[in-house]
Amino acid sequence: MIAEFGLAALWLAAALALLQLVGAFAGVRGTSPELAAVVRPAAVVQAVLTALAFLMLIWLFARTDLSVLLVAENSHSEKPMIFKLAGAWGNHEGSMLMWVAIMALSGGLIALIERRLPERTLLATLGAQAFVGLGFYAFLLFSSNPFTRLDPPAAEGAGLNPLLQDIGLAFHPPTLYLGYVGLSVAFSFAVGALLTRNVTPEFARVMRPWVLGAWIFLTLGITAGSYWAYYELGWGGWWFWDPVENASLMPWLAATALLHSASVLAARDALRTWTVMLGVVAFSMSMIGTFLVRSGILTSVHAFAVDPERGTFILALLAIYIGGALALFAARANTIAEGERFSPLSREGALVVNNVALSAILGVVLLGTLYPLLTEAFGVRVSVGPPYFNPVSAVFFLPMLLVLVVGPLLRWRRDSFSRVQRRVVFAVSVGLVVLFGVAVLARIAILPLLGMALAAAVAVAAFAPLRGRSLRRLPLPIWGMAIAHFGVAVALFGVACDSALTIEKLAAANVGDSVTVGPWQVTLDSVEPVAGPNWTALEGRMTAHYNGGEGHHIAPQARNFWAPPQETTESALLTRWNGQLYAVLGKEAKDGRWQVRLWWKPFVTWIWFGGVLIALGGFLALIGRVVGDLRQRERRRLIAQRHEVAP
């Protein structure tokens, strides 16, 4: 009965979403206070029911209940428990239920804790959240029911895609979905503000933590996904501009622009319409990403569980939500005052440049992702990859980094360059030293060279705003900004080094042979059969010496899964502070030699270390904002108490 209870919970949650929408509509129009009063409770109970439905699906996977179609198609009794649980969201239906559950929980949390917005704006926001939720409930209940029974039950499950049977993929999708769905909250806030024409600094302060939270999870999700692709797919790359990779990058770019824009609105009451527009665009990118991944129109190593019919359903939802929001924006934008003016040489001016550059990069990625689909519709197949994305996005990315050196040093509203000149010159000088130093010592391409120089300049500039201030009294959001910008520099340095300095060696080796790659000498000691819980493998046992030093053992594997039958490559990584040795064991040739593929990748780990730093900076800023809001709320409460006590 667990599946039936889960389905019933979903239907009840959908009914409550409808009630929430109707109540919010009545509340905004002021026609029925009674109906408006049920909006908050409906949102909370809906969240509980949806979370319950998702927990029931996880329980079905944990028990390997093969009378449920989804479990039979995506699990197996011999899988390790962690991958049984991950199977609940490692498929189309389960991941969409996760999407709905996170969205409902977000709506419930807003209904429980949010007291700062005017009641009409909050009702409009919860109404928009219910409207978005209803579409996804309909999608689940009529097109992608995760609780469909199988009669008779299967004797054994088909198993989960072996590429997904990895600890990284057990946590990567939930992280990414928290980011995607968090942007639906920003979208609802934007729609609510448009409906009630309440685009104020307070609105931005309410929306900002939600955007920040979504942005943190997106950052972590993209970073984890990149590292998973790097070690699991066995081709030694960390980013290939794959359409599904782009599908997660586009919302992140829009969310980054939105985050900075919301900060300007919250602090200086400027960029009102731009902030609302970015709220719509950010969620639009999430929806486009979902459509690309689920529609079946893309061929990608990441595009699991695709279905053209259900893709059409998502396309219809996208047209309704995004088309409706853009129409609303067009109708209301001219009624929203733009807010305070500012000088181009100010922190607001720098953030505007940052926004424009991020939007341009977003346009570049969107065009490059959709262009092959458009040409294919006319019978022409084209491939768009790094030769397009790298130089074209760099045209906007590199100037944005230059602004990143100056922007955090500037004051709000108006400033002069002479005030920040010394610190800017110092950061730029460091970048120039790196530029000329690397150019003299190594022959590398111009883009990686510029990347290294800018990384050095940004790293120095990231902590420049802290100079002369008491570090103990520095607000957490300032620390967060510095660490996040430093993370950008670290990641950029890793990208530039990986692009310019990576060495690859493909060899056919007998047992006992040694292969040299960069500073490493790697010896193939033996190839042995090994077995795991649901796979067998050939394991290449190797000893690696760095510059003739101590030997380190590594063991890449070529695995064979039997449910479903599939071969995968398990790379072996040896990490040092200055890079990673990456080893892959290939096939055995007829003459008994083994294909061995080795990479020496200097400073490649800095890419993901930088991603974690960026997310850490966001987390510190979020903690600082939330604590600041709570203190402000407490101050208001105390002031209100004094006024009540005063005669």
Side-chain angles (χ1 to χ4, degrees), residues 433-458:
V433 168
V434 172
L435 178 73
F436 289 112
V438 175
V440 169
L441 295 174
R443 288 186 177 182
I444 62 175
I446 184 67
L447 273 182
L449 182 60
L450 288 174
M452 290 180 194
L454 280 168
V458 172

Side-chain angles (χ1 to χ4, degrees), residues 581-598:
L581 175 68
Y582 186 113
V584 172
L585 179 69
K587 301 284 186 184
E588 184 181 17
K590 290 181 181 177
D591 60 1
R593 293 189 297 175
W594 291 88
Q595 292 178 359
V596 176
R597 199 165 189 178
L598 302 168

